[in-house]
Amino acid sequence: MSTTSPAVPVPAPPPATTAGDLLRLAGGVARAFARGPRRFELRRVLREWLRETAARRGSDDLVVNLGVTRLLVVGGRELSRHVLEGTPRQDGYVEGETKRKAMAVLAPGALTVAHGERWMRLRRFNELVLRTVDDPRSREAYLAQVRRAFARVVRSENDVRACMREANRGIVFGPGVASERLSRDVEFLSGLVQSPVKRIALGMLARTRRRRLYDELRRLWDDPAAAERPTLLGAARRHAPDADGGEALQQVPHWMFTFTGSGTDLLVRTLALVGSNADAWERARGEAVESSEAPEHAGRSGGFLEACLRESARLYPPVTRTFHRCPHGDTVGGVSIPPDMEIVHSFPLDDGAGDPGGRVFRPQRWLEPGEAARARAFADPFLGGARACPGEALIVFVCTAALRELLKRGVRVRGDDLSREPLPFTFPRELRFTEG
């Protein structure tokens, strides 16, 4: 008698989109635009189309076939964790070509587009510099910059961004050291990083502004007094992995656009969620006023205000996508990933199904160790493991301090549908600012 072993499933790539799927996308874009050009958001249309198409294919992950190229869009948490958990290296997962080409406009030597030994070196450098927020002298200096910057009147998201821009320059370089033009150049170039259409259309201007940006950064770096200041640039001078600071300077623009990009988004969304929730507003305002009356506690972390920030990041992640590739291919849970295929992470594609926190604004979960651990394990907006954000402590500190300054003045932000449960999957565009 002979026996046969059960067949072993052959690994296969995730299902791919068809021409019909692309026609549905085109129709969705046309309908969204027809409803009102001013309210049109291509990103929202794309995410809705990806979720619906993945659901029809019965897979969390999807290969989007664009004809000239194929992209693996990762929507499943298992595959996402697998790609992100290890250190970036040639025999594993490295930065995607899309990300590398985009970052070349701003900082081709940044940590986010490095792998192997170079990534290890730059990772250590970024940690040493950004963790200066734990040093009492630096922390006091950073807090002073936030207070100075957020003392102005705030009536819109653009006003918040302007405050964050000023705080950013003070924290990175020191008060009154760097020009506002430098901040504008970083924001202009980071806008091109996010848009391939703008990169093509504004290529010549991008090169001019990038040259001007690095000329000023070099001037600030070469200032003999820079190393003595309690700033990020001062820490970079002390810990630079290279004698001339070339690699170190490549990290500075990324630190800067994080403040006025995802950092400002996080702050504004937190203000709106707190302002739209009566209980959270009373508790957060009370903590802000109390800490302002006790200066020794003004820079503290771990309280309700920080919990509000972390809950906001859980519900509306400030970073929604990133790109990787696997040079030699891989197999994960029966799913085959072809060599060098561009891998796009979209955080998150699902509507929160299975999320132990749900679509509910409940900041106090972050004050309860067990519940906070479960929320982080499900979807940590700052990532985890080797690729955990090295600047998490700094951006949380800055945003918490800014939140405290605005709330103690009575700045309140409300957004449509943010007082309802469950909360909308997409953050509202229209926000209402009041003060007093």
Side-chain angles (χ1 to χ4, degrees):
M1 176 181 288
S2 63
T3 59
T4 57
S5 302
V8 178
V10 177
T17 59
T18 64
D21 293 320
L22 296 181
L23 286 175
R24 290 188 187 92
L25 173 59
V29 170
R31 287 191 297 273
F33 191 81
R35 285 194 291 267
R38 292 186 61 186
R39 298 177 62 87
F40 175 72
E41 290 183 82
L42 179 59
R43 182 178 300 177
R44 179 183 297 190
V45 175
L46 284 171
R47 289 172 71 81
E48 289 176 353
W49 174 77
L50 283 168
R51 289 203 306 275
E52 292 169 0
T53 305
R56 280 198 303 272
R57 296 289 182 272
S59 172
D60 292 329
D61 312 303
L62 190 69
V63 173
V64 178
N65 187 355
L66 299 176
V68 294
T69 188
R70 292 160 64 89
L71 307 174
L72 170 56
V73 180
V74 178
R77 298 178 189 275
E78 179 183 356
L79 181 55
S80 179
R81 285 195 183 99
H82 176 79
V83 173
L84 296 174
E85 68 183 1
T87 58
R89 60 185 190 275
Q90 195 67 22
D91 61 345
Y93 292 85
V94 300
E95 69 282 359
E97 281 298 299
T98 301
K99 188 172 185 176
R100 186 185 63 79
K101 291 176 181 178
M103 282 297 293
V105 176
L106 177 65
L111 171 68
T112 55
V113 285
H115 59 266
E117 188 277 332
R118 186 167 173 275
W119 181 88
M120 297 289 289
R121 182 173 67 251
L122 290 178
R123 171 75 191 196
R124 177 60 177 161
F125 168 70
N126 275 267
E127 289 174 343
L128 287 170
V129 174
L130 300 177
R131 290 298 302 191
T132 53
V133 71
D134 294 333
D135 170 67
R137 178 171 176 254
S138 297
R139 193 178 182 88
E140 183 179 351
Y142 300 165
L143 180 60
Q145 300 310 315
V146 174
R147 285 175 162 169
R148 181 182 293 109
F150 280 87
R152 67 173 70 182
V153 175
V154 170
R155 295 193 179 96
S156 68
E157 182 174 343
N158 284 337
D159 288 342
V160 176
R161 207 171 299 279
C163 292
M164 191 68 94
R165 186 182 302 124
E166 183 180 341
N168 170 242
R169 288 199 307 278
I171 290 170
V172 176
F173 305 107
V177 173
S179 69
E180 185 170 353
R181 189 183 67 181
L182 184 146
S183 295
R184 297 290 187 183
D185 284 344
V186 169
E187 289 177 41
F188 172 80
L189 293 169
S190 63
L192 302 191
V193 169
Q194 305 296 326
S195 173
V197 175
K198 289 181 179 179
R199 288 200 298 275
I200 295 171
L202 301 173
M204 288 292 292
L205 182 57
R207 285 190 285 275
T208 299
R209 295 187 73 164
R210 183 172 178 273
R211 189 181 310 112
R212 185 172 73 185
L213 165 66
Y214 280 95
D215 284 346
E216 182 163 0
L217 286 177
R218 172 55 65 185
R219 178 183 65 78
L220 293 167
W221 179 274
D222 290 340
D223 179 358
E228 303 306 317
R229 297 189 184 108
T231 61
L232 296 187
L233 190 71
R237 282 281 304 268
R238 295 189 295 273
H239 298 293
D242 49 340
D244 65 354
E247 277 193 332
L249 280 182
Q250 290 278 313
Q251 314 312 306
V252 177
H254 192 274
W255 301 338
M256 294 184 69
F257 87 71
T258 296
F259 274 76
T260 54
S262 57
T264 299
D265 292 343
L266 175 60
L267 176 56
V268 169
R269 291 168 185 176
T270 305
L271 280 167
L273 285 164
V274 168
S276 301
N277 184 297
D279 291 340
W281 166 258
E282 291 299 328
R283 184 169 176 180
R285 181 96 196 279
E287 181 175 296
V289 171
E290 178 187 0
S291 62
S292 70
E293 293 174 350
E296 68 273 16
H297 295 147
R300 70 182 178 186
S301 59
F304 186 71
L305 296 183
E306 180 179 323
C308 289
L309 282 164
R310 293 192 179 279
E311 181 72 344
S312 173
R314 180 187 73 85
L315 290 162
Y316 299 104
V319 177
T320 58
R321 65 188 184 278
T322 186
F323 298 83
H324 295 88
R325 60 187 172 86
C326 185
H328 304 292
D330 196 7
T331 299
V332 186
V335 175
S336 173
I337 301 175
D340 275 330
M341 175 177 278
E342 196 78 349
I343 304 168
V344 186
H345 289 258
S346 188
F347 307 122
L349 274 183
D350 62 50
D351 59 1
D355 185 345
R359 302 296 303 168
V360 178
F361 184 64
R362 187 176 177 275
Q364 53 268 38
R365 80 177 75 253
W366 296 96
L367 303 177
E368 302 167 6
E371 194 170 352
R374 285 191 293 274
R376 274 210 168 202
F378 183 78
D380 187 348
F382 294 101
L383 302 182
R387 299 176 192 260
C389 174
E392 176 182 351
L394 176 61
I395 201 64
V396 169
F397 171 80
V398 170
C399 287
T400 302
L403 186 62
R404 182 177 293 109
E405 293 302 303
L406 295 172
L407 289 178
K408 75 181 183 184
R409 294 210 318 261
V411 173
R412 189 165 188 173
V413 183
R414 295 180 177 91
D416 292 338
D417 297 329
L418 292 182
S419 58
R420 303 178 185 177
E421 295 179 0
L423 288 165
F425 181 76
T426 304
F427 194 79
R429 294 183 67 182
E430 301 297 327
L431 299 174
R432 300 178 298 282
F433 283 70
T434 57
E435 182 171 345

